[in-house]
Amino acid sequence: MMNRRTHTPLLLLAACLVLLAQACSRQADGGALPSGGQAAYYWRTDLHLDSTERAFISRHHISRLYCRFFDVVSDSDDGSNPHPNATITFSDTLPKGLELVPTVYITENCMHQRHDSLAARVVQRVMQMCRTNGISGVSELQLDCDYTARSLQVYYDFLSEARRQAAQQGLALSVTIRLHQLQMKAPPADYGVLMLYNTGDPRRFRERNPVLDERDVQPYVRHLGSYPLPLSAAYPVYRWVRQVEGVRVEHTVSADVILRVKQMVEQQRPELSRHIIIYHIDEENINRYTPETYEAIFHH
């Protein structure tokens, strides 16, 4: 007969294995993702929704608005003295039932060195802005950084602390994932948003659309099936206008390209259909595509 001393460690081992299996299952089926619904990014410096934007939110049942609160920037390549920039103002109230997700963009050079208190300061500033502006019902913080191999470890350590700080406020932590970052180890977050925009090299604009081109997505699709972080997907509906060698260049993405990329990634990662985000909401972008196109983006 097994004695108590032997039995207890085995019970603990069995319990750990069950918890591990449950965690893996949640990860595989996207259990940490928001529970359905459509979403949009809001990337302007003043929160104000006009009648077109409000009608769009209602028509397409937008339930979440990922709203850029501020950027964290550094004026030097070594990332010293990171500080907030371009902080949003709130001159409008949100439609009833629309959840706001504070989003903070961090420039990559800020992660070229460690800043022990930065994570706490970012979370505290977000919470203070919510209190000051009467924003309630916040359940998540999103951090956005185009990290590279050089900045990965510093950024992941920063994320670990930010996740701990956010959890103390009752918030989940999500992060953006760019295509090239799928080749790296997954960051410490509750889920990631796969950015299916800004996929190409702007210098090659004569050959490919730098906003979104299937040929730039294809090489990374093979990483989707095994990527260990739950993922949602974000698609571009914006126009990019810039001056290149004295010529005005405009980049927009056709509905057909967006839908083909959507089909491509969802074949490898069906969970990507569960929570769709568009980047970004404003009247001009809304009018760029038909309501039927938006329905196709948001739904199967």
Side-chain angles (χ1 to χ4, degrees), residues 146 177-180 194-204 208-220 234-236 238 240 253 257 261 265:
D146 190 5
I177 305 291
R178 288 155 179 80
L179 287 170
H180 71 90
L194 182 63
M195 283 177 48
L196 291 161
Y197 54 91
N198 292 352
T199 59
D201 185 344
R203 295 169 298 183
R204 301 178 61 193
R208 300 185 184 185
N209 189 331
V211 175
L212 180 62
D213 189 296
E214 297 159 88
R215 293 167 292 179
D216 291 320
V217 177
Q218 184 63 53
Y220 299 97
Y235 297 96
Y238 63 92
W240 184 15
V253 184
V257 169
V261 169
V265 297

Side-chain angles (χ1 to χ4, degrees), residues 24-280:
C24 291
S25 176
R26 284 196 301 271
Q27 199 171 61
D29 66 11
L33 293 174
S35 55
Q38 290 70 253
Y41 278 103
Y42 189 95
W43 217 258
R44 298 182 300 214
T45 54
D46 178 51
L47 182 64
H48 175 77
L49 297 170
D50 65 20
S51 58
T52 300
E53 293 155 358
R54 289 177 179 271
F56 179 86
I57 287 169
S58 175
R59 173 170 187 159
H60 295 286
H61 308 288
I62 303 296
S63 60
R64 292 184 135 215
L65 203 61
Y66 291 80
C67 181
R68 190 204 63 84
F69 269 38
F70 55 90
D71 301 336
V72 177
V73 303
S74 173
D75 299 326
S76 59
D77 181 67
D78 66 1
S80 59
N81 188 32
H83 56 275
N85 185 55
T87 299
I88 195 172
T89 56
F90 295 88
S91 61
D92 203 353
T93 57
L94 294 175
K96 187 177 181 180
L98 182 63
E99 180 183 356
L100 199 70
V101 179
T103 302
V104 177
Y105 173 70
I106 303 168
T107 59
E108 191 265 345
N109 65 328
C110 289
M111 296 293 121
H112 288 177
Q113 63 173 280
R114 299 181 186 280
H115 307 282
D116 292 339
S117 64
L118 183 59
R121 285 188 284 138
V122 167
V123 174
Q124 289 166 8
R125 193 169 200 269
V126 166
M127 299 307 297
Q128 181 61 52
M129 289 176 64
C130 290
R131 288 190 293 268
T132 300
N133 293 283
I135 300 168
S136 59
V138 173
S139 64
E140 178 186 325
L141 167 65
Q142 184 168 112
L143 298 177
D144 175 20
C145 180
D146 190 5
Y147 59 92
T148 64
R150 174 181 177 180
S151 53
L152 180 146
Q153 195 54 57
V154 171
Y155 181 56
Y156 281 19
D157 291 344
F158 164 83
L159 286 179
S160 294
E161 179 59 19
R163 192 181 189 189
R164 188 182 73 83
Q165 295 280 342
Q168 291 178 355
Q169 303 291 338
L171 305 180
L173 180 72
S174 61
V175 294
T176 54
I177 305 291
R178 288 155 179 80
L179 287 170
H180 71 90
Q181 294 164 348
L182 289 172
Q183 303 173 100
M184 307 175 186
K185 64 180 181 179
D190 293 295
Y191 74 94
V193 174
L194 182 63
M195 283 177 48
L196 291 161
Y197 54 91
N198 292 352
T199 59
D201 185 344
R203 295 169 298 183
R204 301 178 61 193
F205 70 94
R206 289 187 176 88
E207 305 165 39
R208 300 185 184 185
N209 189 331
V211 175
L212 180 62
D213 189 296
E214 297 159 88
R215 293 167 292 179
D216 291 320
V217 177
Q218 184 63 53
Y220 299 97
V221 169
R222 61 189 177 91
H223 299 289
L224 283 173
S226 58
Y227 193 73
L229 191 68
L231 292 173
S232 61
Y235 297 96
V237 295
Y238 63 92
R239 177 182 63 163
W240 184 15
V241 180
R242 61 201 182 102
Q243 294 289 334
V244 181
E245 300 170 356
V247 178
R248 186 177 184 271
V249 179
E250 178 177 320
H251 305 289
T252 58
V253 184
S254 72
D256 287 344
V257 169
I258 295 172
L259 295 175
R260 286 199 299 269
V261 169
K262 183 176 188 288
Q263 181 182 37
M264 181 195 309
V265 297
E266 288 179 3
Q267 284 178 344
Q268 296 297 318
R269 187 88 173 207
E271 115 194 23
L272 288 172
S273 67
R274 281 185 47 182
H275 185 63
I276 302 293
I277 313 170
I278 58 166
Y279 181 90
H280 57 98

